[in-house]
Amino acid sequence: MAAADDTLLLERLLAGEQRAFKELVSTYQSAMRAVAYAIVGNRHVDEVVQDAWLSVVRNLGGFEGRSSLKTWLLTITANSAKSRYKQNRREVLLDDLPSPHGTLDDDRFSSSDGHWLVAPYAWHQDTPEALLTESELRECLEHTLLSLSELQSSVLLLRERQGLELEEICNLLEISLSNVRVLLHRARLKVFATVEHFEETGEC
């Protein structure tokens, strides 16, 4: 959401417009859940996000626009999660959990720039059959996402679905840039492995 849109939405929120609050929730709820999940795990996500929204409502008038509205919301969520789980904060573990179709080797990528040496299969959506195939692949990918560790899944979702920069993810989750890169890289390899398996077999 652009800064101008942030300003307009904030004005509507401060004016007490209910529709504006619904727009805020629908736009940012999934990103807030991803941040909460990364810090407290699945068990306390709902409570953390609920606490975060209460904090947002109480502090809307104090939002000064020094960061984007999204960054402000995710920071509140991260603080809420850290507060709830402060005594038993998890250490960042880079150990991989097994995924349905394993992972790909690093030798599939260029050592100089990290790009594919051989590009993945190009999906085309120009026929009903292709659209059906895409739907089936999406189910396979969702299954793979569920198999990732909490931190791998959260970093991947925050980067790929929410579009956060790596530095933003570092700040929210309080992990180093190198850890974020490793977590993201390993998660992507597992996702690509699922794509390749589906491409070869047509099955999850």
Side-chain angles (χ1 to χ4, degrees):
M1 185 175 285
D5 294 331
D6 275 359
T7 301
L8 179 58
L9 181 57
L10 184 62
E11 289 175 356
R12 293 167 58 204
L13 289 166
L14 293 174
E17 184 182 324
Q18 289 298 311
R19 184 174 178 180
F21 189 74
K22 289 180 180 178
E23 287 179 21
L24 187 72
V25 171
S26 65
T27 302
Y28 297 115
Q29 176 88 346
S30 62
M32 291 169 70
R33 287 184 65 85
V35 169
Y37 182 89
I39 297 170
V40 301
N42 188 57
R43 184 176 179 183
H44 299 294
V45 165
D46 291 334
E47 294 95 328
V48 166
V49 174
Q50 183 178 1
D51 290 347
W53 280 122
L54 289 174
S55 231
V56 167
V57 171
R58 292 192 194 104
N59 295 289
L60 261 177
F63 176 63
E64 299 177 350
R66 294 178 182 175
S67 62
S68 70
L69 190 55
K70 181 176 185 177
T71 298
W72 184 67
L73 291 170
L74 296 187
T75 300
I76 288 176
T77 305
N79 289 338
S80 175
K82 291 166 194 171
S83 178
R84 178 171 288 269
Y85 219 66
K86 193 171 184 179
Q87 301 304 318
N88 298 304
R89 177 162 173 75
R90 294 174 297 117
E91 294 295 326
V92 177
L93 298 177
L94 298 181
D95 294 338
D96 282 336
L97 297 176
S99 62
H101 307 295
T103 185
L104 296 182
D105 296 325
D106 286 334
D107 60 12
R108 299 289 298 278
F109 300 87
S110 166
S111 59
S112 59
D113 58 15
H115 292 159
W116 286 96
L117 291 175
V118 179
Y121 181 77
W123 292 90
H124 300 287
Q125 303 178 6
D126 51 1
T127 67
E129 292 80 6
L131 290 172
L132 178 60
T133 297
E134 185 195 48
S135 175
E136 293 169 347
L137 174 60
R138 187 178 297 113
E139 291 182 14
C140 296
L141 292 175
E142 291 296 335
H143 182 60
T144 296
L145 288 176
L146 290 174
S147 77
L148 300 178
S149 71
E150 291 174 0
L151 279 171
Q152 279 188 358
S153 175
S154 297
V155 168
L156 182 68
L157 294 176
L158 289 173
R159 177 61 178 162
E160 303 297 351
R161 287 191 178 173
Q162 304 302 328
L164 269 62
E165 297 297 329
L166 298 186
E167 290 76 10
E168 290 181 285
I169 298 173
C170 291
N171 293 334
L172 289 169
L173 304 185
E174 291 188 344
I175 56 180
S176 69
L177 183 58
S178 61
N179 277 357
V180 167
R181 284 176 172 156
V182 169
L183 290 163
L184 181 61
H185 182 64
R186 291 184 177 177
R188 283 172 169 169
L189 290 178
K190 292 177 181 178
V191 168
F192 293 146
T194 294
V195 173
E196 286 209 340
H197 176 81
F198 185 86
E199 178 187 328
E200 293 170 359
T201 67
E203 299 176 353
C204 288

